[in-house]
């Protein structure tokens, strides 16, 4: 039951991240190929880097091509409906994105631990899974990745990875560890969105 929840939630997270890639491509007036590329790298880029780094090959979307079909369908539908997106509540996509970040973080950390890697590596793999796709998207779009600026985004992912690994270390089962880690990531990310929280910036200008 838990595995099914994680799997379908992972697909939902992929959809949300793919939509964010489509929106960036639309703002830059890319052609349909560019739209699909940005949608794809945002949705599966982080997981791909994670799997390659830990030796989990073929990477997950090659073993399960449902991810590709979901991304392609999302990109196509989003291109057709993007002009009507203003009718949706403005908070919906950021909240879903925060949920995707939380879940991707836990999935990345869990997969690293399943390969008997140290906890600190699991945390790093969780962060990579959660944020690397968006970083690749921004680089391809010619932008500074916003996770490298003052946004509390990667920080929330780090918290989730730490909570997950610590919970398992304390003997909690997978379900409780997943819930605690996702709650921590979501809480911090949503609090940052609600109250415009940010990290201090490193500035050498006088």
């Amino acid at each position: 039951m838990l595995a099914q929840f994680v799997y379908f939630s992972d697909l939902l997270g992929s959809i949300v991240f793919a939509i964010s890639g489509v929106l960036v491509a639309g703002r830059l007036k890319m052609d349909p190929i560019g739209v699909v590329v940005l949608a794809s790298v945002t949705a599966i880029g982080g997981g791909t880097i994670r799997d390659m780094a830990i030796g989990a090959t073929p990477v997950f979307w090659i073993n399960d091509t449902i991810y590709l079909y979901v991304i392609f369908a999302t990109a196509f539908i989003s291109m057709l409906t993007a002009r009507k997106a203003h009718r949706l509540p403005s908070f919906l996509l950021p909240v879903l994105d925060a949920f995707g970040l939380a879940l991707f973080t836990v999935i990345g950390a869990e997969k690293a631990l399943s390969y008997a890697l140290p906890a600190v590596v699991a945390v790093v793999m969780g962060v990579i899974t959660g944020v690397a796709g968006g970083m690749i998207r921004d680089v391809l779009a010619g932008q500074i990745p916003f996770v490298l600026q003052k946004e509390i985004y990667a920080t929330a992912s780090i918290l989730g990875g730490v909570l997950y690994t610590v919970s398992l270390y304390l003997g909690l089962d997978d379900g409780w560890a997943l819930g605690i880690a996702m709650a921590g990531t979501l809480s911090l990310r949503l609090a940052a969105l609600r109250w415009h929280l940010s990290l201090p910036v490193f500035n050498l200008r006088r």
Side-chain angles (χ1 to χ4, degrees), residues 13-97:
S14 298
I15 290 172
V16 173
F17 278 24
I19 291 172
S20 74
V22 172
L23 295 178
V24 171
R27 287 195 293 268
L28 296 175
K29 300 179 181 179
M30 292 187 175
D31 64 19
I33 297 300
V35 172
V36 171
V37 168
L38 284 198
S40 300
V41 298
T42 309
I44 60 177
T48 300
I49 295 174
R50 174 205 64 216
D51 283 1
M52 294 176 65
I54 67 177
T57 53
V59 297
F60 70 101
W61 53 266
I62 293 179
N63 285 324
D64 186 357
T65 55
I66 291 296
Y67 284 92
L68 296 180
Y69 294 128
V70 166
I71 292 168
F72 296 158
T74 299
F76 178 73
I77 294 171
S78 297
M79 282 188 284
L80 295 179
T81 61
R83 295 185 184 278
K84 301 178 181 179
H86 64 279
R87 299 179 184 176
L88 298 174
S90 60
F91 66 84
L92 182 60
L93 188 58
V95 169
L96 290 176
D97 179 82

Side-chain angles (χ1 to χ4, degrees), residues 1-203:
M1 188 69 177
L2 178 61
Q4 288 182 331
F5 168 77
V6 171
Y7 178 71
F8 287 110
S9 297
D10 190 27
L11 290 176
L12 175 61
S14 298
I15 290 172
V16 173
F17 278 24
I19 291 172
S20 74
V22 172
L23 295 178
V24 171
R27 287 195 293 268
L28 296 175
K29 300 179 181 179
M30 292 187 175
D31 64 19
I33 297 300
V35 172
V36 171
V37 168
L38 284 198
S40 300
V41 298
T42 309
I44 60 177
T48 300
I49 295 174
R50 174 205 64 216
D51 283 1
M52 294 176 65
I54 67 177
T57 53
V59 297
F60 70 101
W61 53 266
I62 293 179
N63 285 324
D64 186 357
T65 55
I66 291 296
Y67 284 92
L68 296 180
Y69 294 128
V70 166
I71 292 168
F72 296 158
T74 299
F76 178 73
I77 294 171
S78 297
M79 282 188 284
L80 295 179
T81 61
R83 295 185 184 278
K84 301 178 181 179
H86 64 279
R87 299 179 184 176
L88 298 174
S90 60
F91 66 84
L92 182 60
L93 188 58
V95 169
L96 290 176
D97 179 82
F99 176 82
L101 173 68
L103 186 70
F104 278 22
T105 296
V106 173
I107 289 174
E110 187 278 331
K111 191 159 190 177
L113 291 175
S114 72
Y115 277 71
L117 296 173
V120 64
V121 175
V123 173
V124 172
M125 290 300 114
V127 174
I128 288 175
T129 307
V131 309
M135 293 177 68
I136 298 171
R137 174 202 64 210
D138 291 346
V139 169
L140 291 177
Q143 304 170 355
I144 298 175
F146 82 97
V147 300
L148 299 182
Q149 301 180 60
K150 60 183 181 179
E151 281 277 348
I152 293 182
Y153 196 85
T155 307
S157 181
I158 293 170
L159 175 64
V162 170
L163 288 175
Y164 183 72
T165 54
V166 170
S167 296
L168 292 178
Y169 178 78
L170 294 176
L172 299 180
D173 64 30
D174 287 344
W176 277 104
L178 183 146
I180 291 171
M182 288 191 63
T185 305
L186 275 171
S187 298
L188 182 55
R189 179 58 185 153
L190 294 179
L193 290 170
R194 173 63 179 83
W195 289 291
H196 306 289
L197 305 177
S198 62
L199 297 174
V201 298
F202 177 61
N203 187 356

